[in-house]
Amino acid sequence: MVLKILGIAVLVWLAFTVLGAIFEFLTWALVIGAVVFVGAAAYSAVRSRSRRSIGG
């Protein structure tokens, strides 16, 4: 009975550990994705504005 409870506790602990690692990775992926998106949007806006002024 005690071994069964310990086994369940270990399984729950492992599940939380794996989920925590996944969420940590997703957090960093979200931050990097947001930085790339903002950089691409800014580059596109600057490029579009410069083309508009050159074309007259």
Side-chain angles (χ1 to χ4, degrees), residues 43-55:
Y43 175 73
S44 176
V46 167
R47 188 171 160 197
S48 173
R49 185 177 301 161
S50 67
R51 278 190 177 179
R52 210 177 319 143
S53 65
I54 291 173

Side-chain angles (χ1 to χ4, degrees), residues 18-33:
V18 169
L19 284 175
I22 289 171
F23 281 127
E24 184 175 350
F25 169 75
L26 287 177
T27 300
W28 281 110
L30 178 68
V31 168
I32 291 169

Side-chain angles (χ1 to χ4, degrees), residues 1-44:
M1 183 70 174
V2 173
L3 287 178
K4 196 177 212 181
I5 293 172
L6 281 176
I8 291 171
V10 167
L11 286 177
V12 169
W13 175 71
L14 283 174
F16 278 126
T17 302
V18 169
L19 284 175
I22 289 171
F23 281 127
E24 184 175 350
F25 169 75
L26 287 177
T27 300
W28 281 110
L30 178 68
V31 168
I32 291 169
V35 167
V36 169
F37 176 77
V38 168
Y43 175 73
S44 176

